Short mmCIF file of all heavy atoms in Angstrom, two decimals:
data_model
loop_
_atom_site.label_atom_id
_atom_site.label_comp_id
_atom_site.label_asym_id
_atom_site.label_seq_id
_atom_site.Cartn_x
_atom_site.Cartn_y
_atom_site.Cartn_z
N MET A 1 135.44 100.17 124.65
CA MET A 1 134.96 101.28 123.82
C MET A 1 133.45 101.26 123.68
O MET A 1 132.85 102.24 123.23
CB MET A 1 135.60 101.21 122.44
CG MET A 1 137.09 101.45 122.42
SD MET A 1 137.73 101.68 120.74
CE MET A 1 137.16 100.19 119.93
N GLY A 2 132.79 100.13 124.00
CA GLY A 2 131.34 100.05 123.87
C GLY A 2 130.87 99.64 122.51
O GLY A 2 129.71 99.89 122.16
N VAL A 3 131.71 98.98 121.71
CA VAL A 3 131.33 98.58 120.35
C VAL A 3 131.36 97.07 120.17
O VAL A 3 131.30 96.58 119.05
CB VAL A 3 132.24 99.26 119.30
CG1 VAL A 3 132.07 100.76 119.33
CG2 VAL A 3 133.71 98.89 119.52
N LEU A 4 131.44 96.33 121.27
CA LEU A 4 131.41 94.87 121.18
C LEU A 4 129.94 94.45 121.18
O LEU A 4 129.36 94.09 122.20
CB LEU A 4 132.15 94.23 122.36
CG LEU A 4 132.38 92.72 122.26
CD1 LEU A 4 133.42 92.41 121.20
CD2 LEU A 4 132.82 92.16 123.60
N ASN A 5 129.33 94.52 120.01
CA ASN A 5 127.90 94.23 119.91
C ASN A 5 127.65 93.28 118.76
O ASN A 5 128.50 93.04 117.90
CB ASN A 5 127.10 95.53 119.74
CG ASN A 5 127.64 96.39 118.62
OD1 ASN A 5 127.75 95.95 117.48
ND2 ASN A 5 127.98 97.64 118.93
N VAL A 6 126.44 92.75 118.75
CA VAL A 6 126.10 91.74 117.74
C VAL A 6 126.02 92.36 116.35
O VAL A 6 126.21 91.66 115.35
CB VAL A 6 124.77 91.05 118.13
CG1 VAL A 6 123.58 91.98 117.90
CG2 VAL A 6 124.59 89.74 117.38
N ALA A 7 125.76 93.65 116.27
CA ALA A 7 125.72 94.30 114.95
C ALA A 7 127.08 94.25 114.27
O ALA A 7 127.17 94.12 113.05
CB ALA A 7 125.25 95.75 115.09
N ASN A 8 128.16 94.37 115.04
CA ASN A 8 129.51 94.32 114.48
C ASN A 8 130.03 92.89 114.34
O ASN A 8 130.82 92.61 113.43
CB ASN A 8 130.47 95.12 115.36
CG ASN A 8 130.23 96.61 115.29
OD1 ASN A 8 129.82 97.12 114.25
ND2 ASN A 8 130.46 97.31 116.38
N LEU A 9 129.61 91.99 115.22
CA LEU A 9 130.18 90.65 115.24
C LEU A 9 129.36 89.64 114.45
O LEU A 9 129.91 88.70 113.90
CB LEU A 9 130.31 90.17 116.69
CG LEU A 9 131.19 91.04 117.60
CD1 LEU A 9 131.11 90.55 119.03
CD2 LEU A 9 132.63 91.05 117.11
N ALA A 10 128.04 89.80 114.44
CA ALA A 10 127.17 88.88 113.71
C ALA A 10 126.02 89.68 113.11
O ALA A 10 124.87 89.62 113.59
CB ALA A 10 126.65 87.78 114.63
N PRO A 11 126.28 90.47 112.08
CA PRO A 11 125.27 91.41 111.56
C PRO A 11 124.02 90.75 110.99
O PRO A 11 123.00 91.42 110.85
CB PRO A 11 126.05 92.17 110.47
CG PRO A 11 127.19 91.30 110.11
CD PRO A 11 127.56 90.55 111.34
N GLU A 12 124.09 89.46 110.68
CA GLU A 12 122.92 88.81 110.10
C GLU A 12 121.88 88.42 111.16
O GLU A 12 120.76 88.04 110.84
CB GLU A 12 123.33 87.54 109.33
CG GLU A 12 123.84 86.39 110.20
CD GLU A 12 125.26 86.58 110.68
OE1 GLU A 12 125.89 87.60 110.30
OE2 GLU A 12 125.75 85.71 111.42
N VAL A 13 122.23 88.52 112.42
CA VAL A 13 121.33 88.13 113.50
C VAL A 13 120.29 89.23 113.74
O VAL A 13 120.62 90.42 113.75
CB VAL A 13 122.12 87.86 114.79
CG1 VAL A 13 121.18 87.52 115.94
CG2 VAL A 13 123.12 86.74 114.58
N GLU A 14 119.04 88.82 113.91
CA GLU A 14 117.99 89.78 114.23
C GLU A 14 118.22 90.32 115.63
O GLU A 14 118.29 89.56 116.59
CB GLU A 14 116.62 89.12 114.13
CG GLU A 14 115.47 90.08 114.40
CD GLU A 14 114.11 89.45 114.29
OE1 GLU A 14 114.07 88.23 113.96
OE2 GLU A 14 113.10 90.13 114.53
N ARG A 15 118.33 91.62 115.76
CA ARG A 15 118.71 92.23 117.03
C ARG A 15 117.47 92.57 117.87
O ARG A 15 116.43 92.94 117.34
CB ARG A 15 119.55 93.48 116.78
CG ARG A 15 120.89 93.18 116.14
CD ARG A 15 121.78 94.40 116.05
NE ARG A 15 121.30 95.35 115.08
CZ ARG A 15 121.54 95.27 113.77
NH1 ARG A 15 122.23 94.24 113.30
NH2 ARG A 15 121.11 96.18 112.95
N TYR A 16 117.64 92.45 119.16
CA TYR A 16 116.59 92.84 120.10
C TYR A 16 116.58 94.36 120.22
O TYR A 16 117.61 94.98 120.49
CB TYR A 16 116.84 92.20 121.47
CG TYR A 16 115.84 92.61 122.52
CD1 TYR A 16 114.61 91.99 122.61
CD2 TYR A 16 116.13 93.63 123.43
CE1 TYR A 16 113.68 92.36 123.57
CE2 TYR A 16 115.22 94.01 124.39
CZ TYR A 16 113.99 93.36 124.46
OH TYR A 16 113.08 93.75 125.41
N ASP A 17 115.41 94.95 120.02
CA ASP A 17 115.29 96.41 120.07
C ASP A 17 114.45 96.80 121.28
O ASP A 17 113.23 96.61 121.29
CB ASP A 17 114.62 96.92 118.78
CG ASP A 17 114.62 98.44 118.70
OD1 ASP A 17 115.17 99.08 119.63
OD2 ASP A 17 114.08 98.99 117.72
N PRO A 18 115.08 97.34 122.33
CA PRO A 18 114.30 97.72 123.52
C PRO A 18 113.34 98.86 123.24
O PRO A 18 112.37 99.04 124.00
CB PRO A 18 115.38 98.12 124.52
CG PRO A 18 116.57 98.50 123.71
CD PRO A 18 116.52 97.62 122.50
N VAL A 19 113.57 99.62 122.18
CA VAL A 19 112.67 100.74 121.88
C VAL A 19 111.30 100.22 121.46
O VAL A 19 110.26 100.82 121.78
CB VAL A 19 113.28 101.62 120.78
CG1 VAL A 19 112.33 102.76 120.40
CG2 VAL A 19 114.62 102.19 121.23
N LYS A 20 111.26 99.09 120.77
CA LYS A 20 109.97 98.52 120.34
C LYS A 20 109.13 98.14 121.54
O LYS A 20 107.92 98.41 121.58
CB LYS A 20 110.21 97.31 119.44
CG LYS A 20 110.77 97.64 118.06
CD LYS A 20 110.89 96.39 117.23
CE LYS A 20 111.42 96.72 115.82
NZ LYS A 20 111.55 95.49 114.99
N SER A 21 109.76 97.52 122.51
CA SER A 21 109.03 97.15 123.72
C SER A 21 108.54 98.40 124.46
O SER A 21 107.40 98.43 124.96
CB SER A 21 109.93 96.31 124.64
OG SER A 21 109.30 96.05 125.87
N TYR A 22 109.38 99.41 124.51
CA TYR A 22 109.00 100.66 125.17
C TYR A 22 107.81 101.30 124.47
O TYR A 22 106.85 101.74 125.11
CB TYR A 22 110.19 101.61 125.19
CG TYR A 22 109.89 103.00 125.70
CD1 TYR A 22 109.83 103.26 127.05
CD2 TYR A 22 109.67 104.04 124.81
CE1 TYR A 22 109.55 104.54 127.53
CE2 TYR A 22 109.39 105.32 125.26
CZ TYR A 22 109.34 105.56 126.61
OH TYR A 22 109.05 106.82 127.07
N ASP A 23 107.88 101.38 123.15
CA ASP A 23 106.79 102.01 122.39
C ASP A 23 105.48 101.22 122.56
O ASP A 23 104.39 101.81 122.59
CB ASP A 23 107.16 102.09 120.91
CG ASP A 23 108.26 103.11 120.66
OD1 ASP A 23 108.48 103.99 121.51
OD2 ASP A 23 108.91 103.01 119.60
N LYS A 24 105.60 99.91 122.67
CA LYS A 24 104.40 99.08 122.79
C LYS A 24 103.63 99.42 124.06
O LYS A 24 102.40 99.58 124.03
CB LYS A 24 104.80 97.61 122.79
CG LYS A 24 103.61 96.67 122.89
CD LYS A 24 104.07 95.22 122.86
CE LYS A 24 102.89 94.26 122.99
NZ LYS A 24 103.32 92.85 122.96
N VAL A 25 104.32 99.54 125.18
CA VAL A 25 103.63 99.84 126.43
C VAL A 25 103.35 101.34 126.58
O VAL A 25 102.37 101.73 127.21
CB VAL A 25 104.43 99.32 127.65
CG1 VAL A 25 104.59 97.82 127.57
CG2 VAL A 25 105.80 99.99 127.73
N ASN A 26 104.20 102.16 126.00
CA ASN A 26 104.04 103.60 126.15
C ASN A 26 102.83 104.11 125.39
O ASN A 26 102.24 105.13 125.76
CB ASN A 26 105.30 104.31 125.65
CG ASN A 26 105.34 105.76 126.07
OD1 ASN A 26 104.93 106.11 127.17
ND2 ASN A 26 105.83 106.62 125.19
N HIS A 27 102.47 103.42 124.31
CA HIS A 27 101.31 103.83 123.52
C HIS A 27 100.09 102.97 123.81
O HIS A 27 99.15 102.93 123.02
CB HIS A 27 101.66 103.76 122.03
CG HIS A 27 102.76 104.68 121.64
ND1 HIS A 27 103.63 104.43 120.61
CD2 HIS A 27 103.16 105.87 122.18
CE1 HIS A 27 104.51 105.42 120.51
NE2 HIS A 27 104.25 106.30 121.46
N ALA A 28 100.12 102.25 124.93
CA ALA A 28 98.97 101.42 125.28
C ALA A 28 97.80 102.30 125.70
O ALA A 28 97.92 103.52 125.88
CB ALA A 28 99.37 100.48 126.42
N PHE A 29 96.64 101.67 125.91
CA PHE A 29 95.43 102.40 126.28
C PHE A 29 95.63 103.20 127.57
O PHE A 29 96.24 102.71 128.51
CB PHE A 29 94.28 101.41 126.46
CG PHE A 29 93.01 102.06 126.94
CD1 PHE A 29 92.21 102.75 126.07
CD2 PHE A 29 92.64 101.98 128.27
CE1 PHE A 29 91.05 103.36 126.50
CE2 PHE A 29 91.47 102.58 128.72
CZ PHE A 29 90.68 103.27 127.83
N GLY A 30 95.11 104.36 127.62
CA GLY A 30 95.21 105.20 128.80
C GLY A 30 95.37 106.66 128.46
O GLY A 30 95.20 107.51 129.32
N TRP A 31 95.65 106.98 127.21
CA TRP A 31 95.82 108.38 126.83
C TRP A 31 94.47 109.07 126.73
O TRP A 31 93.46 108.47 126.34
CB TRP A 31 96.54 108.45 125.49
CG TRP A 31 96.79 109.84 125.01
CD1 TRP A 31 97.84 110.64 125.32
CD2 TRP A 31 95.99 110.59 124.09
NE1 TRP A 31 97.75 111.85 124.69
CE2 TRP A 31 96.60 111.84 123.91
CE3 TRP A 31 94.80 110.33 123.41
CZ2 TRP A 31 96.09 112.82 123.08
CZ3 TRP A 31 94.28 111.30 122.59
CH2 TRP A 31 94.92 112.54 122.43
N VAL A 32 94.41 110.33 127.14
CA VAL A 32 93.19 111.12 127.02
C VAL A 32 93.52 112.39 126.25
O VAL A 32 94.66 112.87 126.28
CB VAL A 32 92.62 111.47 128.41
CG1 VAL A 32 92.08 110.22 129.10
CG2 VAL A 32 93.66 112.15 129.29
N PRO A 33 92.54 112.97 125.55
CA PRO A 33 92.83 114.12 124.67
C PRO A 33 93.40 115.33 125.40
O PRO A 33 94.16 116.11 124.82
CB PRO A 33 91.46 114.44 124.05
CG PRO A 33 90.69 113.16 124.15
CD PRO A 33 91.16 112.51 125.41
N TRP A 34 93.01 115.50 126.65
CA TRP A 34 93.47 116.70 127.37
C TRP A 34 94.79 116.48 128.13
O TRP A 34 95.23 117.35 128.85
CB TRP A 34 92.39 117.19 128.33
CG TRP A 34 91.94 116.16 129.33
CD1 TRP A 34 92.50 115.87 130.53
CD2 TRP A 34 90.82 115.27 129.20
NE1 TRP A 34 91.83 114.87 131.17
CE2 TRP A 34 90.78 114.48 130.37
CE3 TRP A 34 89.86 115.06 128.20
CZ2 TRP A 34 89.81 113.51 130.57
CZ3 TRP A 34 88.90 114.09 128.41
CH2 TRP A 34 88.88 113.33 129.57
N GLU A 35 95.40 115.34 127.95
CA GLU A 35 96.65 115.05 128.66
C GLU A 35 97.75 116.05 128.35
O GLU A 35 98.43 116.53 129.26
CB GLU A 35 97.11 113.63 128.35
CG GLU A 35 98.37 113.22 129.09
CD GLU A 35 98.75 111.77 128.82
OE1 GLU A 35 97.84 110.95 128.58
OE2 GLU A 35 99.96 111.47 128.83
N PRO A 36 97.98 116.42 127.06
CA PRO A 36 99.03 117.42 126.79
C PRO A 36 98.76 118.76 127.49
O PRO A 36 99.71 119.42 127.94
CB PRO A 36 99.00 117.56 125.26
CG PRO A 36 98.42 116.27 124.77
CD PRO A 36 97.42 115.87 125.80
N LEU A 37 97.49 119.13 127.59
CA LEU A 37 97.16 120.39 128.26
C LEU A 37 97.51 120.31 129.75
O LEU A 37 98.09 121.25 130.31
CB LEU A 37 95.68 120.71 128.07
CG LEU A 37 95.16 121.96 128.80
CD1 LEU A 37 95.89 123.21 128.31
CD2 LEU A 37 93.65 122.10 128.61
N VAL A 38 97.18 119.19 130.39
CA VAL A 38 97.49 119.03 131.80
C VAL A 38 99.00 119.03 132.02
O VAL A 38 99.51 119.62 132.99
CB VAL A 38 96.85 117.74 132.34
CG1 VAL A 38 97.23 117.51 133.81
CG2 VAL A 38 95.34 117.79 132.19
N LYS A 39 99.74 118.39 131.12
CA LYS A 39 101.20 118.40 131.23
C LYS A 39 101.74 119.82 131.15
O LYS A 39 102.65 120.20 131.91
CB LYS A 39 101.82 117.55 130.12
CG LYS A 39 101.65 116.05 130.29
CD LYS A 39 102.33 115.31 129.16
CE LYS A 39 102.19 113.80 129.32
NZ LYS A 39 102.85 113.08 128.19
N GLY A 40 101.20 120.60 130.21
CA GLY A 40 101.67 121.97 130.07
C GLY A 40 101.38 122.81 131.29
O GLY A 40 102.23 123.60 131.74
#
């Protein structure tokens, strides 16, 4: 079913969050002010 996870089996354990790692590199240096305009 896809629910065999540490949140259900050991809720007190600090869980690894892949979103945090993604946000860390995704917001790293390299953005420029005109980037949204170029994307559009």
